[in-house]
Amino acid sequence: MNTAEIRRRFLDYFATRGHEVVPSAPLLYNDPTLLFVNAGMVPFKPYFTGAETAPFDRATSVQKCVRTLDIEEVGKTTRHGTFFQMNGNFSFGDYFKAEAIRYAWELVTGSQDAGGLGFDPERVWVTVLHSDDEAAALWANIAGLPAERIQRRGLLDNYWHMGIPGPGGPCSEIYIDRGPAYGRDGGPVVDEDRFLEIWNLVFMQEELSTVRAKDDFDTLGDLPRKNIDTGMGLERVALLLQDVDNLYEIDQVFPVIQRAVELSGRRYGRGGDDGRQDDVRMRVVADHIRSSLMLIADGVTPGNEARGYVLRRLLRRTVRSMRLLGVHDPVLPELLPVSRDAMGAAYPEVVENFDRIAGIAYGEEDAFRRTLTTGTQIFDLAVSDAKTAQQPQLSGERAFQLHDTYGFPIDLTLEMASEQGLSVDADGFRRLMQEQRDRAKADAKSKKAGAASTEVYRELRALGLTPFTGYEELVTESRVRGIVRDGALVESAGEGDVVEVVLEQTPFYAESGGQDSDAGLIRADGATLEVVDVQRPVKGLVVHRVRVADGELRSGVDVSAEVDGEWRLGACQAHSGTHVVHAALRQVLGPTALQSGSYNKPGYLRLDFAWPSGLSPALRSDVEEAANQAIRLDLNVRANYMSLAEARELGALALFGETYGEEVRVVEMGGRWSRELCGGTHVQHSSQIGLVTLNAESSVGSGVRRVEAFVGIEAFRYLARERALVSGLTEALKVQPDQLTDRVHRLVEQLKTAERQIAELKSRNVLAEVGTIAAKAHDMWGVGYIGHHAEGVAGGDLRTLALEVRNRVQDTPAVVAVVGGTAEKPAVVVVTTQGARDRGLKAGDLVRTASEVLGGRGGGKDDVAQGGGTDGSRVGEALTAVEHAVGHVVQS
């Protein structure tokens, strides 16, 4: 049974039993404690915690998940995969243990002809919490399981909570016996490789007050409404029903391994130490390709922080693993389409958006291949230093620097060091990596702990949502529901205080969807508040950050909330301008130029979009022209509410990574010309935008570009500044504006010609000194040493000078050391003749001596080497240090 069919059967089973089928949330979920959705219950967490009221009593979903804490274990065991799918059924105060157990048993053991999964009941084992007699009795009565196949375990295994105060409860896990070929008999308490867990049923029934550890917490008592949260590992069920050894061999993953086999010429599953290493690498490739595909599909782009760094690491580990399999050509164009075809049946969006996905992934591989080139150069220098110091291994610090700073994988460092006859201090490397992980975990823990500070907002949200009246009006009469200072409710705030205020209703737009928050005033009897920020810390609740300009504000008083009209007009222009620029990009570049992020505020917008390369001036001009033509056409702008399915059928574009409810707001400009899901504020006609002027275009990651623009009056001001600049230049150069470009080009060419002439004269002057410098040689026990300070000479000229001096003394043992450059950036070149090298003198060693004195480093070959530093005041000391080093070698 293929994985997509298992997924369909699960959803169908629960849909026919009154469960709302909820689509998977994007992997980028709006949760400050998570990089990605990492469990099936995450989108339902507000319902379980009580922050929001569930719109249904029971639900089911197949949720996309990503976990990367155990990324180093991927491929080594059958338990670790970065991307996985979690089937779940959920009850919010509806049914409880008996129904959850009955549903699970029926689906797991029901015949495949009747829509079940068809597992043999004799192969099913379960675990329950040691004290949960009720669950044990239900398994015996409903499923008829004998006592020996109902095993009891402690809190570490069979109790669930979020790690913070909130709901918790015992759980019951379902296992399938894979048979004696996979391990020892005796149930999951003996061997969890043979007895594979497929489903965890969590019975949320208690309120936790303090959580110290997984098995150390305090309870307040029973929850007023008991809930069910279950998670069935889709990949685990698939590997059992497809009769394969591990999750890397199921139908959604294994095709990538097969393609890796074809590309590398290696066999999968051939045994032996080398074979096991190859198997691990192929599993890493298959897992990471799928994870990368799904992350990019949900709007993640490679970067150096947070989610972007995770994606970058997955893609680079894929390329590295294929390199270790012997494939040095680009591999993502060969592998990513295979994963697309395997996942497309369950997730059609990966097929629909593949051009965008591929552009981002392929761009990252190209960048990493360049990184490998740079990293190899740094590695070569590290090897040279180790050999010079006669050290048998590279230090853990150097290996970690290569990994962390230059993105150079440790496996490649180990492999290449071995080729050079060196080992690597792997323990030191692992220690530094662990320190980095510990820092990351501490940071994550602090963020998780910070989630508890939302308690005050949950209390306020429980009193009702905050209606937004700003689409219809800029001034709304309202009432203060609560005042928050330092995370706690207070009764009042005085002049000069900065606090957060929640109103019964508000016209202030809270920052979201790329649009900055509104500015304005809140007026109460005897008090004036300046609104400095507006946010939604929990869904449905608008919080105003204010400064009390005068008077005193008290909770419960009536207020007038007044949005600054000029600010809102600018915000509407900028947000509508963002939609116009997005549509213009797609009109000029094609449908794959999809928005991946945006920010706009009065007078300014920026928009990130998928595109593999920079825009030429002509393309930028075309985009700007298309945008302003749409403004000139005075397109009608309107917003309609409809179901998400209707919006998709209409072709409305959704922002990657955003979560949308079943009812969405669709903003149209000129009908189909621009149609996007959007909750922001907009102008009524495109002409009200005024003008859009693109002022910048840049890269923000592999396959992602950013355009920036001024909008409305700011666009006019920008053009006015440009006009003033042109006017000043035309006056200074005495030309007409239309002649300015040609005149500047001629001046640049004249300047380049003059610089070349100066460089040639400088080189001739430098070379004219060769004879004089060569004559400075003095004998040091049979070796001539020439040290010279060529002030202001740098680059190729310094190297040429040193080589020309060496040519004058080529027939004798001699060392030439020349220091040039500037006081802030001195440069040094050391060259040796064959006679000097026969005496054991190496230019690379000598240039390192000089560079260290100058506050830098250097290296090179035995005959020619160069380096530099940061302290030009020590040139004399550097030349003397080389002289002493020469004397030391020739006397030893």
Side-chain angles (χ1 to χ4, degrees):
M1 188 183 298
N2 65 41
T3 307
E5 173 63 13
I6 300 169
R7 179 180 186 273
R8 185 194 65 78
R9 286 178 180 238
F10 185 91
L11 293 175
D12 285 353
Y13 176 86
F14 285 102
T16 60
R17 286 155 180 81
H19 290 67
E20 179 78 15
V21 177
V22 179
S24 173
L27 289 165
L28 286 75
Y29 193 68
N30 185 25
D31 187 317
T33 70
L34 299 173
L35 278 180
F36 307 108
V37 173
N38 63 0
M41 62 78 64
V42 167
F44 302 103
K45 191 161 69 171
Y47 309 147
F48 289 129
T49 61
E52 298 177 30
T53 301
F56 28 67
D57 291 332
R58 50 176 70 183
T60 185
S61 70
V62 177
Q63 175 62 47
K64 298 175 288 187
C65 302
V66 166
R67 292 179 186 169
T68 56
L69 286 177
D70 296 324
I71 193 171
E72 301 292 345
E73 299 303 313
V74 168
K76 297 177 183 177
T77 75
T78 62
R79 298 177 182 276
H80 297 91
T82 52
F83 174 85
F84 59 97
Q85 299 156 88
M86 191 60 71
N87 300 353
N89 61 288
F90 308 91
S91 167
F92 308 101
D94 187 7
Y95 62 82
F96 200 49
K97 289 184 185 179
E99 292 88 343
I101 289 173
R102 181 178 296 108
Y103 288 150
W105 180 255
E106 287 179 359
L107 181 57
V108 169
T109 62
S111 74
Q112 294 187 3
D113 291 342
L117 298 178
F119 284 103
D120 181 356
E122 297 301 317
R123 295 171 56 198
V124 178
W125 292 61
V126 299
T127 62
V128 298
L129 184 65
H130 56 72
S131 58
D132 195 351
D133 297 332
E134 180 186 6
L138 287 169
W139 278 114
N141 295 332
I142 293 172
L145 287 177
E148 62 269 18
R149 300 217 316 264
I150 304 172
Q151 298 188 321
R152 297 181 183 247
R153 307 184 86 165
L155 292 169
L156 280 175
D157 295 299
N158 279 71
Y159 195 94
W160 178 91
H161 56 70
M162 293 189 296
I164 60 175
C171 56
S172 179
E173 298 169 326
I174 302 174
Y175 294 78
I176 302 297
D177 182 0
R178 304 178 72 188
Y182 290 92
R184 297 172 296 161
D185 199 358
V189 297
V190 173
D191 191 332
E192 289 199 7
D193 287 325
R194 171 173 171 173
F195 297 88
L196 187 67
E197 179 197 342
I198 62 166
W199 205 343
N200 186 16
L201 315 179
V202 177
F203 311 127
M204 290 190 198
Q205 61 190 50
E206 296 172 324
E207 178 90 20
L208 308 189
S209 59
T210 305
V211 178
R212 291 173 291 274
K214 181 75 165 64
D215 59 345
D216 185 10
F217 49 83
D218 299 327
T219 59
L220 287 174
D222 291 341
L223 289 170
R225 285 164 55 92
K226 297 180 180 179
N227 306 311
I228 290 293
D229 159 27
T230 84
M232 168 192 274
L234 180 55
E235 283 77 9
R236 292 192 176 192
V237 175
L239 78 87
L240 291 168
L241 291 180
Q242 293 171 22
D243 195 25
V244 295
D245 280 343
N246 55 66
L247 58 87
Y248 307 101
E249 297 174 11
I250 65 173
D251 62 307
Q252 286 187 343
V253 184
F254 194 62
V256 176
I257 290 180
Q258 291 176 309
R259 185 63 183 136
V261 167
E262 294 169 2
L263 292 171
S264 66
R266 309 280 181 93
R267 268 178 49 202
Y268 178 76
R270 63 188 171 94
D273 290 341
D274 291 342
R276 279 192 291 274
Q277 285 187 344
D278 286 351
D279 288 355
V280 169
R281 290 164 185 161
M282 290 181 189
R283 291 169 185 163
V284 167
V285 168
D287 172 86
H288 289 6
I289 280 287
R290 186 169 73 142
S291 298
S292 300
L293 173 77
M294 302 307 294
L295 285 169
I296 299 174
D298 273 2
V300 185
T301 56
N304 290 326
E305 295 181 354
R307 294 159 171 155
Y309 179 72
V310 171
L311 173 59
R312 170 162 286 168
R313 191 175 179 207
L314 292 170
L315 288 169
R316 293 187 170 192
R317 277 172 60 88
T318 299
V319 175
R320 175 254 293 173
S321 296
M322 290 300 293
R323 180 185 174 104
L324 293 174
L325 288 167
V327 183
H328 294 266
D329 294 331
V331 295
L332 296 188
E334 300 288 342
L335 300 171
L336 203 63
V338 177
S339 188
R340 171 202 62 197
D341 295 343
M343 297 300 294
Y347 302 99
E349 62 268 24
V350 303
V351 178
E352 297 165 5
N353 298 321
F354 188 72
D355 288 344
R356 179 188 66 85
I357 295 168
I360 291 171
Y362 301 166
E364 179 63 20
E365 178 172 19
D366 290 342
F368 184 46
R369 288 169 64 83
R370 293 191 294 271
T371 294
L372 286 176
T373 300
T374 304
T376 299
Q377 295 171 349
I378 304 299
F379 171 83
D380 289 343
L381 181 60
V383 169
S384 176
D385 289 346
K387 289 186 174 180
T388 298
Q390 296 184 334
Q391 295 173 343
Q393 67 173 199
L394 295 182
S395 69
E397 288 79 4
R398 294 299 290 271
F400 182 75
Q401 179 192 35
L402 279 163
H403 169 83
D404 194 53
T405 305
Y406 300 101
F408 208 63
I410 183 60
D411 287 355
L412 274 183
T413 301
L414 291 166
E415 177 189 39
M416 293 170 65
S418 177
E419 292 171 357
Q420 295 290 331
L422 298 173
S423 62
V424 177
D425 178 12
D427 289 341
F429 173 83
R430 282 192 291 269
R431 174 178 52 78
L432 292 168
M433 283 295 295
Q434 188 59 49
E435 290 175 3
Q436 186 184 67
R437 289 194 191 99
D438 291 343
R439 288 192 296 270
K441 287 180 180 178
D443 182 55
K445 186 174 182 181
S446 69
K447 289 180 178 177
K448 176 181 274 192
S453 65
T454 64
E455 178 65 32
V456 65
Y457 303 124
R458 289 166 51 193
E459 291 179 22
L460 291 167
R461 175 62 181 82
L463 300 175
L465 55 77
T466 311
F468 174 61
T469 63
Y471 292 137
E472 295 82 26
E473 59 188 25
L474 297 182
V475 179
T476 295
E477 300 304 314
S478 190
R479 177 172 294 175
V480 177
R481 179 185 296 173
I483 303 171
V484 179
R485 180 192 286 121
D486 299 329
L489 284 172
V490 296
E491 284 300 313
S492 64
E495 185 173 333
D497 288 346
V498 176
V499 294
E500 293 174 317
V501 174
V502 175
L503 304 179
E504 295 291 346
Q505 58 182 353
T506 181
F508 284 91
Y509 184 82
E511 181 180 355
S512 62
Q515 181 176 334
D516 204 350
S517 60
D518 279 333
L521 299 174
I522 298 175
R523 302 182 191 273
D525 186 17
T528 303
L529 320 174
E530 296 176 358
V531 178
V532 296
D533 191 19
V534 189
Q535 297 291 333
R536 287 191 181 94
V538 297
K539 188 176 180 181
L541 186 75
V542 176
V543 176
H544 310 75
R545 187 169 182 80
V546 304
R547 186 182 71 82
V548 182
D550 57 65
E552 181 185 43
L553 178 73
R554 299 195 65 81
S555 184
V557 302
D558 293 332
V559 297
S560 176
E562 305 169 5
V563 175
D564 184 317
E566 282 297 314
W567 180 279
R568 171 63 72 81
L569 174 60
C572 291
Q573 290 175 317
H575 201 152
S576 296
T578 304
H579 284 223
V580 166
V581 171
H582 187 203
L585 283 165
R586 289 167 53 77
Q587 178 179 312
V588 173
L589 303 178
T592 61
L594 284 168
Q595 178 180 337
S596 59
S598 68
Y599 172 73
N600 54 81
K601 64 179 181 179
Y604 169 84
L605 70 86
R606 72 167 185 252
L607 186 147
D608 299 342
F609 62 100
W611 196 249
S613 58
L615 302 186
S616 66
L619 280 175
R620 284 177 57 177
S621 180
D622 288 347
V623 172
E624 191 174 72
E625 173 80 9
N628 285 297
Q629 283 289 353
I631 292 172
R632 181 174 176 271
L633 289 172
D634 196 28
L635 302 176
N636 185 46
V637 180
R638 65 176 186 173
N640 295 310
Y641 290 88
M642 62 189 72
S643 71
L644 184 58
E646 289 172 331
R648 285 173 172 161
E649 186 175 347
L650 200 61
L653 298 176
L655 181 64
F656 293 107
E658 287 291 316
T659 303
Y660 299 97
E662 276 306 301
E663 184 178 70
V664 295
R665 183 171 182 261
V666 177
V667 175
E668 293 183 334
M669 292 184 173
R672 69 174 60 187
W673 189 77
S674 172
R675 189 175 279 151
E676 300 189 29
L677 274 62
C678 179
T681 62
H682 290 273
V683 297
Q684 294 179 329
H685 295 272
S686 63
S687 62
Q688 294 171 330
I689 296 170
L691 180 67
V692 167
T693 301
L694 299 185
N695 69 300
E697 190 268 341
S698 59
S699 170
V700 290
S702 301
V704 181
R705 307 296 299 181
R706 170 174 290 172
V707 291
E708 298 177 71
F710 291 115
V711 186
I713 192 65
E714 286 302 324
F716 285 106
R717 289 168 179 161
Y718 173 75
L719 293 176
R721 292 193 297 271
E722 294 283 291
R723 183 177 61 192
L725 177 62
V726 170
S727 177
L729 287 172
T730 55
E731 183 176 345
L733 298 175
K734 307 302 180 185
V735 295
Q736 294 299 313
D738 60 350
Q739 300 170 332
L740 184 60
T741 300
D742 289 340
R743 179 66 173 134
V744 170
H745 281 320
R746 286 201 301 274
L747 285 174
V748 170
E749 287 303 317
Q750 291 171 7
L751 180 60
K752 288 180 179 178
T753 300
E755 288 175 342
R756 283 195 298 269
Q757 292 172 344
I758 291 171
E760 290 170 2
L761 288 171
K762 190 174 179 181
S763 294
R764 283 199 288 270
N765 289 336
V766 167
L767 295 178
E769 300 181 45
V770 168
T772 303
I773 297 171
K776 293 181 180 179
H778 67 275
D779 183 81
M780 298 183 65
W781 296 276
V783 174
Y785 173 66
I786 301 168
H788 178 69
H789 182 196
E791 189 172 359
V793 181
D797 288 341
L798 191 67
R799 185 183 178 94
T800 299
L801 176 62
L803 292 173
E804 288 297 324
V805 173
R806 185 180 68 178
N807 288 341
R808 297 294 182 95
V809 293
Q810 189 66 50
D811 296 333
T812 63
V815 172
V816 180
V818 183
V819 179
T822 64
E824 296 77 19
K825 196 174 180 180
V828 58
V829 176
V830 177
V831 295
T832 58
T833 64
Q834 183 61 53
R837 293 193 292 277
D838 292 341
R839 296 286 299 273
L841 293 162
K842 300 178 180 179
D845 296 342
L846 298 173
V847 86
R848 270 188 286 274
T849 298
S851 297
E852 288 175 3
V853 175
L854 295 172
R857 48 190 314 188
K861 299 180 180 179
D862 292 348
D863 60 336
V864 181
Q866 60 190 50
T870 56
D871 187 359
S873 66
R874 303 184 66 189
V875 170
E877 296 176 51
L879 293 173
T880 300
V882 174
E883 181 178 1
H884 290 165
V886 170
H888 177 74
V889 172
V890 297
Q891 289 185 80
S892 59

